[in-house]
Amino acid sequence: MSDVPRHHKPVKFSPEQFDAHEGGPDPARVSEAAHLAAHALVSRGRASDDPEISRRLIELTDEQGLEGIAEMWAEAPAVSLPGALWRLYALRAGVRKDPVRMGRYFAAGRGTAQVSHVVAGVAEPPGAEEITTMADAILSGAFNGEFDVALDRFAAFCRVIALGRIRLADTGRLPVVDEHTPRGPSTVALTQRLERTAEELEASANAWRRGHLD
């Protein structure tokens, strides 16, 4: 559709090109561009009731991965609109990368985190398909529902996943990592990262409700 903005992956520069380009990009201008892009994306989604626009916003990173928005949003303050959007897209990408494993974590953690389990809103039983559907629904809600609710739902999801990973580790039932696959962060480090992300999303949700998320 002609009125739907096209999102192109930013051109990458080598370190030498950055040095030659007046010392590289101005951090203030990069930050301004990140905020403007985030506001434009959210405003476009929330102003339209066209399901095709909603679908394209949800699937923004499916073709090019997270790299395109990472270059602009990953370094944004956690409690900011671009920072919040970055976390929403990154969490959805993590779910889609390994929904079976995420489903196991969620199933293991839901009994301990009853409130978060309900807030996250995953259908029962929480398998790969249900987890993927939930991630799409949450991101969709950021554009055609209540933005703060979307943030709170993914925050709750992070808490359930973190508890589930701890429970599986304690019982020796963590999903096996293939010997040819590089091992990721430790259970403790990943749990802390998920809990920190949950706190950041909750803070962003509170800021949005006060009209202060910029």
Side-chain angles (χ1 to χ4, degrees), residues 97-109 126 161-179 181-187 190:
K97 181 179 180 180
D98 197 345
V100 173
R101 186 174 303 212
M102 289 295 183
R104 288 191 61 187
Y105 292 158
F106 194 93
I161 291 292
L163 288 170
R165 187 175 171 87
I166 289 174
R167 289 195 64 188
L168 291 176
D170 288 343
T171 58
R173 293 186 291 119
L174 271 177
V176 176
V177 178
D178 185 271
E179 63 179 352
T181 303
R183 292 182 178 272
S186 68
T187 295
L190 183 56

Side-chain angles (χ1 to χ4, degrees), residues 127-140:
E129 182 177 351
E130 290 76 16
I131 290 288
T132 303
T133 299
M134 176 225 62
D136 284 354
I138 292 177
L139 190 53
S140 174

Side-chain angles (χ1 to χ4, degrees), residues 112-124:
T112 304
Q114 287 289 347
V115 174
S116 294
H117 169 214
V118 173
V119 172
V122 178
E124 296 290 340

Side-chain angles (χ1 to χ4, degrees), residues 3-5 39-49 53 57 143:
D3 61 340
V4 179
H39 278 281
L41 202 67
V42 172
S43 296
R44 185 70 182 95
R46 296 177 69 81
S48 174
D49 57 2
I53 291 178
L57 289 173
F143 300 114

Side-chain angles (χ1 to χ4, degrees), residues 2-78:
S2 60
D3 61 340
V4 179
R6 296 182 178 275
H7 304 279
H8 300 286
K9 184 175 179 180
V11 177
K12 292 185 176 181
F13 293 91
S14 69
E16 293 77 11
Q17 287 172 310
F18 271 128
D19 290 339
H21 190 64
E22 298 181 357
D26 181 348
R29 297 187 67 180
V30 171
S31 177
E32 180 183 13
H35 283 75
L36 288 173
H39 278 281
L41 202 67
V42 172
S43 296
R44 185 70 182 95
R46 296 177 69 81
S48 174
D49 57 2
D50 187 337
E52 177 63 14
I53 291 178
S54 179
R55 182 191 66 79
R56 291 182 63 177
L57 289 173
I58 294 168
E59 298 175 359
L60 179 63
T61 61
D62 286 359
E63 293 185 1
Q64 63 182 26
L66 286 172
E67 294 84 358
I69 63 173
E71 293 182 4
M72 183 159 45
W73 288 350
E75 299 302 320

Side-chain angles (χ1 to χ4, degrees), residues 46 140-147 149:
R46 296 177 69 81
S140 174
F143 300 114
N144 55 34
E146 299 297 329
F147 192 77
V149 172

